[in-house]
């Protein structure tokens, strides 16, 4: 949905890691991945992101007053309701 696959693959190659094989590697490399995600999110407006995330079935949320508000494509994904 964010179209950052090429950048993520570049981090995998540079570090010799596979993020799909090792979830912990994504956490360990968050200092490299977070700016990629942040840049992709900042480049799009809220409505565009919401539409793209919902279309992809991504469970996502916003934070208002410190409380998460979940927005999910389907309630059965287990992440709340609209």
């Amino acid at each position: 949905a964010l179209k950052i696959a090429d950048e993520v693959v570049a981090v995998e190659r540079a570090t010799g890691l596979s993020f799909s094989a090792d979830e912990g590697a994504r956490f360990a490399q968050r200092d490299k991945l977070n700016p990629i995600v942040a840049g992709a999110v900042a480049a799009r407006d809220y409505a565009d992101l919401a539409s793209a995330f919902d279309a992809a079935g991504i469970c996502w949320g916003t934070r208002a007053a410190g409380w998460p508000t979940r927005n999910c494509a389907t309630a059965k994904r287990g992440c709340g309701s609209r």
Side-chain angles (χ1 to χ4, degrees):
L2 291 177
K3 301 176 182 168
I4 58 173
D6 291 342
E7 293 92 339
V8 172
V9 168
V11 174
E12 285 180 310
R13 287 183 181 148
T15 60
L17 299 169
S18 171
F19 299 140
S20 62
D22 181 0
E23 215 170 286
R26 285 195 306 265
F27 180 78
Q29 297 300 316
R30 66 191 180 279
D31 60 322
K32 293 176 180 72
L33 296 172
N34 286 347
I36 295 169
V37 174
V41 169
R44 296 166 78 172
D45 67 28
Y46 180 87
D48 182 42
L49 284 170
S51 177
F53 286 179
D54 286 345
I58 295 170
C59 184
W60 62 279
T62 60
R63 290 202 173 259
W67 295 98
T69 302
R70 301 254 184 228
N71 300 292
C72 297
T74 61
K76 62 184 169 181
R77 289 187 63 81
C79 60
S81 60
R82 288 183 181 250

